[in-house]
Amino acid sequence: MLGNIAPSALEEWLRTRYFSARVDISSSGVENYSLGDLRELLDIPVDDLDDVVFRDSPSLGGDALRAAVGRRFGAETGKVMITNGSSEALLLAMSALLRPGDEVVVQQPAYPSLRSIAQSIGVVLKIWECDPTEGFRPDLDRLAGVLSDRTKAVVVNFPHNPLGVTLDHVGYQALLDLVDACGAYLLWDAAFAELVYDAPPLPEPGAVHPRALSFGTLSKAYGLPGLRVGWCIGPHEVLDRMVLLRDYVSLNTSPLVETIATRVLDRADAVIGPRLAQARRNRALLADWAADNADLVDLRLPQGGVSAFPRLRGFDSVDALCADLCDAQGVLVVPGSCFDHPDRMRIGIGGPGDELADGLAAVVAAARRAARFS
């Protein structure tokens, strides 16, 4: 039952610290935009906002925004549902598809919602382990070993939060083939799909695969978490079942945020471009930091997304270090114990470069200080 869902260690860690930190290098999203930023960037007249009437939107979302999502990701409008963040889409989809006793394959480590919602329904979890000794490489042979004709769904996240790993196009197709062969649904968390560095973004499986649902959001790559706009791209019959559940959850989304989101998606590259360029610069800064501190930092650079998951050599757990960084210095990172890897921490590289530099310097100084007195 959802009422018995496990607490999210990640959200518990961030709940109060997020709003009081002086330097935040914890986030898995890019630097946030303001409404003024968007109005200037996208030429949105204030009259367009004044014309919004606060009536309910349709259950699947407004037609204009659904069409904008479809154009951006190559999906027919009828396969798009607008939600209050991708978290609502994921909750509705899992609740519509899964039943107690179903076998569900999930990645480990993973963003908490990708596992905990399914677990609360009473499914049998099968773990696709991403091995740190292999750089957390997504091993498809290992995935094949946990799939069976009893698998109801496979839940994945690429590019991955917090690992930063992703698939190439060959691996992407191989994953689709594996899921297709066992007749399962694919639940694809695409929150970071457009934040990639070395190759084009992967195609949206929800647009082309008959049993795939992909979940997107304006919160991560677009720097608009406060809008709470997400979407699901998937089969019509699954969206219809999600709507029945939504009648008891949120009913619909706001016409004001839909108006803004439509403008954003219609000119998405103008919004994402500056933030992706900033993330590239920050990724180079992160690489230099790791190289300069190779005796302490074990890091695989992220291939996508804006989170890194370094291990600090000599630490079995960085929990106390992360708490001290925040409580004593106002520097916020996420301890790896939130993702079941206590010797690591999640570092976000999507924010201002000077803030990242300050935060990284503080991490190293605190770690070296702790090591001297251990």
Side-chain angles (χ1 to χ4, degrees):
M1 295 176 57
L2 192 59
N4 296 326
I5 195 168
S8 168
L10 174 62
E11 298 305 329
E12 289 289 306
W13 174 263
L14 293 173
R15 197 176 310 283
T16 56
R17 294 179 174 93
Y18 178 76
F19 297 99
S20 60
R22 175 182 61 86
V23 173
D24 179 9
I25 58 167
S26 70
S27 177
S28 57
V30 301
E31 184 177 356
N32 298 333
Y33 283 106
S34 70
L35 179 57
D37 292 334
L38 287 185
R39 288 188 54 237
E40 181 177 356
L41 194 61
L42 304 178
D43 303 315
I44 303 175
V46 70
D47 288 350
D48 286 8
L49 304 181
D50 287 346
D51 287 342
V52 173
V53 177
F54 290 107
R55 62 176 297 174
D56 289 340
S57 284
S59 296
L60 284 169
D63 290 344
L65 180 52
R66 292 173 70 205
V69 171
R71 285 192 297 272
R72 180 67 180 172
F73 300 107
E76 61 179 87
T77 302
K79 297 186 71 174
V80 177
M81 179 178 184
I82 306 302
T83 56
N84 293 280
S86 59
S87 54
E88 184 188 23
L90 184 68
L91 173 65
L92 295 176
M94 286 191 170
S95 299
L97 286 174
L98 304 180
R99 297 294 177 265
D102 286 345
E103 286 194 6
V104 176
V105 174
V106 297
Q107 286 176 287
Q108 175 63 25
Y111 187 73
S113 297
L114 301 181
R115 179 173 58 185
S116 297
I117 295 173
Q119 199 166 23
S120 74
I121 293 169
V123 306
V124 177
L125 287 184
K126 300 289 186 179
I127 302 301
W128 178 22
E129 188 75 34
C130 296
D131 190 341
T133 65
E134 299 175 356
F136 292 109
R137 176 180 61 86
D139 187 332
L140 294 175
D141 289 335
R142 185 171 285 142
L143 172 61
V146 296
L147 295 175
S148 73
D149 57 6
R150 296 184 302 278
T151 304
K152 181 66 175 291
V154 179
V155 186
V156 298
N157 169 211
F158 293 114
H160 190 280
N161 174 21
L163 304 178
V165 299
T166 191
L167 298 169
D168 60 20
H169 279 68
V170 173
Y172 166 85
Q173 187 57 55
L175 173 63
L176 292 188
D177 292 343
L178 283 171
V179 175
D180 195 48
C182 67
Y185 283 92
L186 176 65
L187 275 59
W188 178 277
D189 179 356
F192 309 94
E194 297 180 89
L195 289 174
V196 288
Y197 301 106
D198 303 318
L202 296 170
E204 283 285 331
V208 297
H209 192 282
R211 288 189 307 281
L213 294 90
S214 54
F215 307 98
T217 178
L218 295 186
S219 295
K220 302 300 182 181
Y222 291 81
L224 300 169
L227 273 187
R228 304 309 307 148
V229 172
W231 54 87
C232 176
I233 301 174
H236 303 87
E237 64 274 12
V238 179
L239 299 188
D240 289 344
R241 289 155 67 186
M242 291 168 64
V243 164
L244 295 179
L245 295 170
R246 184 182 218 175
D247 288 343
Y248 296 93
V249 178
S250 65
L251 292 178
N252 47 52
T253 46
S254 160
L256 176 60
V257 299
E258 286 190 357
T259 297
I260 297 170
T262 301
R263 293 298 189 93
V264 168
L265 283 163
D266 278 341
R267 295 185 58 189
D269 291 339
V271 177
I272 292 176
R275 295 305 192 241
L276 181 56
Q278 178 172 284
R280 287 184 187 278
R281 293 191 295 271
N282 287 347
R283 183 172 178 254
L285 190 159
L286 180 74
D288 290 343
W289 170 77
D292 290 343
N293 297 280
D295 62 314
L296 177 67
V297 177
D298 174 19
L299 172 69
R300 173 175 176 152
L301 278 179
Q303 299 168 289
V306 288
S307 62
F309 203 48
R311 178 174 69 92
L312 294 189
R313 305 182 197 277
F315 286 81
D316 294 327
S317 171
V318 300
D319 283 14
L321 176 65
C322 293
D324 181 67
L325 275 166
C326 190
D327 298 342
Q329 301 182 56
V331 176
L332 182 60
V333 294
V334 176
S337 57
C338 292
F339 300 95
D340 300 320
H341 284 271
D343 59 339
R344 295 175 178 268
M345 62 176 60
R346 187 179 79 178
I347 292 176
I349 62 168
D354 56 352
E355 189 167 349
L356 177 62
D358 289 348
L360 293 176
V363 168
V364 165
R368 295 195 184 283
R369 189 164 54 247
R372 283 200 303 271
F373 291 101
S374 63

